[in-house]
Amino acid sequence: MNNQQKNILVAGAGFGGIKCALQLHKFLKRDKALNKYKIILIDKNREHIFTPNLYETASIVTKDCCNAASMNASVAIDIKDIVNGKKIEFINDHITEINIKTKNIKTTNNQLDYEYLVLALGSETNYFNIPGAREYGFPLKTLDDAIKLRKKIDTFFYTPAKTDIEIIIGGAGLTGVELAGEFSHSLEKIKKLHRRQNISIKITLIEANSTILNNMPEKMTTAAEKRLKKLGIKIITKAKIKEATEKFITYEQNENVRNIPYSIFIWTAGIKTNQLLEKLNIPKDPKNRIIVNEFMEATDYIFAIGDIAVNISAKNPAPGTAYMAEKEGKIAAENIWIKIAKKKTVKSFIAPADYPFVVPIGGKFAIAHIKKITIKGYLGWIIKILVELNYLLSILPIHKAVKKWIKTVKIIIKND
Ligand SMILES: Cc1cc2nc3c(=O)[nH]c(=O)nc-3n(C[C@H](O)[C@H](O)[C@H](O)COP(=O)(O)OP(=O)(O)OC[C@H]3O[C@@H](n4cnc5c(N)ncnc54)[C@H](O)[C@@H]3O)c2cc1C
C-alpha cells in the first residue's frame, strides 16, 4: 500500500461513473501518475445496469422467473469485469454520508478520504406524492424493479381462474413507451408458454402531456404513436393521474375525473435525484440537482455528472440520459486530470441540442434518431443492437463484450 497516494473517489458505477473512472485511468496511466493517485469506484451494487434493456427483463419470455441468471443477462454487467486489469479499486458498498468540509465519505462499512470526488449517483423514482402511486405502482428504475414486475405478471398465469390482465402504465416517456411496446409482443408468447391463451391482455398508457415522448422531435412522437396504436395499445394523453387504489386508477382529463380498473399498475412518470443529495450542503436547483459549471465542477474538489447534475447556465441543459451521463463523465475525468497535471486549458461540456437516441417499440422495431434523421422499423432495431455492442466494447475487453452482446441479442430475439 502506498500511503502517499491520494484518493479520487467516483461515487456510483452507472453510465457516468464508469466512463469517468475508465477515462481517469487512461489519463493517469499515460502520465504515470497512478502511484500518486488511487482511483476508487464505489457502488452499492456489484453490477453495472444497462437501463435501456430493463424493459427486456420486465417482459422476458421465460417460464422460469426464479432463474436469476436469465433475468439478469441482458442488463447486468459485472463491475469487476469492467475494472479487471486496471488500477481502479472497486468497492461494493452503500454510501451513507458525504462530508464536504472534512473531504470524506462514509459507507456502511468504511470511511474514505478524497482529494477529488465525482458524484454520479443517478436518480430514483418520483411518485410526486400522488396518493397510492408508491403503494400500488410498480416502478421500473432498477434491476430489482424489473424482476419484481416480471414476477407479478407470472402470478396471473399461475392462478387457475381465468383473469384477464389490464395493464395501466402511468407515464408515456421512453420507459413507458418501450415497456408497452414490448409487453404487447412478449406477453402473448408468455401466455403460450403457460398454455393460457384464453387470457386477454389490455395495455393502456396514461400521459399528462399532450403527446407521448414529450420533448422529442415531432417525427418521432408521430411514428411512435402510430406503432403503439398498431400494436393495440391505448393511449390517453393530457390526463393526470390523481390517485391509485387497490383496484382503480383515477385520472383527470379536460376537467373530467375518471376511474379505470387495473390488474397491474406501472409507474414510469417521473424521476428525482438521489436522496443522499438532500442533506448535502452544496448549490442545487429546485429539482435538487447539483449545479455544475461547464467543466462539470460543483466545487474545486467535487464534480457531479449524469442525472444528478445540471448546468443552469447552459443554452441547452443536458437531459437525463445515458448518452449525456457518459459524455459528462469523460469531461469530469479530463478536468480532474488537467488539475492534477496543472495544465492551463480546461475542457468544457456543451450538450448538443440534437442528440442521438433509439426507441424500441415491440418486436424487431425501433425508431432511431441520428443527426436529425429518423430511421424506423427493422433498420432502427439493427441500430439499437449495434448501439449496445458499441457501448459494451467501450467498457469491456473485446471478447467479454462480444460474448455479453450475443447473449443479450439472443434474449432480445426470443422476446421479440
Ligand atoms: C427503464 C429505463 C430506461 C432507460 N432508457 C434509456 C435509453 O434508452 N437511453 C438513454 O440514453 N437513457 C435511458 N435511460 C436513462 C439513463 O438510464 C440515465 O439517464 C442514466 O443511467 C444516468 O446515468 P448516471 O450515471 O447519472 O446514473 P446511473 O446510471 O443511474 O448510476 C447511478 C449509480 O449509483 C449507484 N448508487 C446510487 N446510490 C448509491 C449509494 N448511496 N451508494 C452507492 N452507490 C449508489 C447506483 O447503484 C448506480 O449504479 C433509461 C432509464 C431507465 C430507468
Side-chain angles (χ1 to χ4, degrees):
M1 202 180 96
N2 178 353
N3 286 332
Q4 304 302 312
Q5 261 183 328
K6 289 175 179 166
N7 291 338
I8 304 175
L9 301 187
V10 181
F15 284 93
I18 289 282
K19 278 289 159 87
C20 182
L22 291 176
Q23 193 77 356
L24 262 171
H25 183 264
K26 198 168 127 190
F27 285 127
L28 296 186
K29 189 178 171 195
R30 196 181 59 190
D31 276 10
K32 299 192 171 50
L34 284 165
N35 57 340
K36 291 188 198 129
Y37 290 90
K38 186 174 182 180
I39 305 165
I40 302 177
L41 179 64
I42 311 168
D43 203 289
K44 60 184 176 185
N45 295 314
R46 282 185 206 165
E47 288 154 332
H48 166 62
I49 302 302
F50 187 77
T51 50
N53 275 351
L54 274 178
Y55 72 88
E56 294 281 356
T57 303
S59 60
I60 192 166
V61 177
T62 176
K63 230 183 152 182
D64 183 10
C65 271
C66 296
N67 180 347
S70 77
M71 297 290 280
N72 293 2
S74 66
V75 288
I77 303 156
D78 198 329
I79 296 170
K80 274 196 191 147
D81 284 343
I82 300 173
V83 299
N84 195 16
K86 300 186 175 68
K87 284 194 173 167
I88 299 174
E89 184 183 345
F90 171 58
I91 299 178
N92 176 213
D93 208 345
H94 197 123
I95 300 165
T96 51
E97 221 179 292
I98 300 163
N99 295 312
I100 299 177
K101 274 191 189 154
T102 46
K103 286 180 80 178
N104 64 38
I105 64 158
K106 280 190 185 149
T107 64
T108 310
N109 303 304
N110 210 340
Q111 178 166 320
L112 290 156
D113 295 334
Y114 64 81
E115 181 65 14
Y116 292 102
L117 173 66
V118 181
L119 293 170
L121 293 163
S123 51
E124 299 170 358
T125 301
N126 191 350
Y127 297 94
F128 302 105
N129 293 325
I130 295 170
R134 182 188 289 274
E135 200 177 346
Y136 300 107
F138 280 82
L140 186 61
K141 191 76 185 78
T142 64
L143 177 58
D144 210 34
D145 293 341
I147 293 173
K148 276 190 191 140
L149 176 54
R150 179 61 187 83
K151 285 186 175 170
K152 171 72 182 171
I153 288 163
D154 251 19
T155 59
F156 291 88
F157 300 113
Y158 282 101
T159 313
K162 176 186 173 288
T163 320
D164 291 337
I165 308 175
E166 300 242 5
I167 298 175
I168 305 280
I169 303 177
L174 266 180
T175 306
V177 165
E178 290 175 358
L179 187 65
E182 193 64 16
F183 270 163
S184 74
H185 264 245
S186 61
L187 293 190
E188 291 303 319
K189 290 191 175 181
I190 298 169
K191 253 166 59 172
K192 274 189 199 150
L193 271 183
H194 289 274
R195 298 207 178 99
R196 300 296 300 271
Q197 283 97 321
N198 61 339
I199 291 180
S200 85
I201 297 166
K202 243 169 85 181
I203 304 166
T204 306
L205 274 163
I206 301 184
E207 169 59 49
N209 290 297
S210 54
T211 70
I212 62 164
L213 300 176
N214 191 38
N215 292 333
M216 289 206 175
E218 204 185 324
K219 246 182 171 176
M220 292 266 321
T221 51
T222 313
E225 225 178 282
K226 202 172 150 198
R227 172 71 179 165
L228 289 168
K229 284 185 179 157
K230 195 175 167 200
L231 295 173
I233 293 155
K234 189 172 171 190
I235 303 168
I236 304 174
T237 52
K238 293 186 197 158
K240 280 196 173 146
I241 293 181
K242 292 284 173 191
E243 191 181 3
T245 59
E246 203 182 341
K247 295 203 168 113
F248 290 92
I249 298 300
T250 307
Y251 68 89
E252 191 184 312
Q253 189 190 40
N254 304 325
E255 292 178 12
N256 295 315
V257 176
R258 293 190 168 89
N259 289 317
I260 39 172
Y262 73 91
S263 13
I264 304 177
F265 171 45
I266 301 162
W267 181 255
T268 66
I271 53 166
K272 60 177 182 182
T273 53
N274 193 294
Q275 56 179 313
L276 207 60
L277 302 192
E278 278 159 27
K279 286 186 250 153
L280 196 65
N281 190 11
I282 207 166
K284 282 174 269 175
D285 79 340
K287 289 185 179 167
N288 204 35
R289 291 175 297 183
I290 298 174
I291 296 174
V292 291
N293 58 19
E294 67 268 42
F295 317 121
M296 306 318 297
E297 281 171 320
T299 73
D300 279 349
Y301 298 97
I302 299 180
F303 289 73
I305 55 174
D307 285 3
I308 61 162
V310 64
N311 175 4
I312 50 170
S313 325
K315 193 173 160 214
N316 306 303
T321 64
Y323 174 81
M324 295 295 174
E326 285 178 59
K327 296 256 174 236
E328 292 173 356
K330 284 180 165 185
I331 295 285
E334 190 159 351
N335 285 326
I336 291 173
W337 167 72
I338 282 169
K339 281 184 180 226
I340 289 171
K342 297 192 170 50
K343 302 264 173 204
K344 286 203 176 88
T345 51
V346 202
K347 191 90 180 172
S348 53
F349 176 65
I350 299 164
D354 191 72
Y355 54 95
F357 51 83
V358 191
V359 191
I361 312 181
K364 292 182 188 66
F365 182 103
I367 307 171
H369 179 84
I370 303 158
K371 296 198 171 157
K372 296 199 170 134
I373 298 171
T374 303
I375 301 157
K376 53 182 195 243
Y378 184 65
L379 194 55
W381 182 82
I382 295 287
I383 293 171
K384 175 197 151 51
I385 56 172
L386 289 178
V387 166
E388 278 173 38
L389 175 62
N390 187 43
Y391 179 68
L392 291 172
L393 286 169
S394 74
I395 60 166
L396 286 170
I398 294 177
H399 68 285
K400 286 210 164 138
V402 173
K403 201 172 153 198
K404 179 88 193 159
W405 182 70
I406 291 172
K407 217 171 178 181
T408 304
V409 172
K410 275 187 186 164
I411 292 174
I412 294 177
I413 290 174
K414 199 173 166 202
N415 281 3
D416 293 344

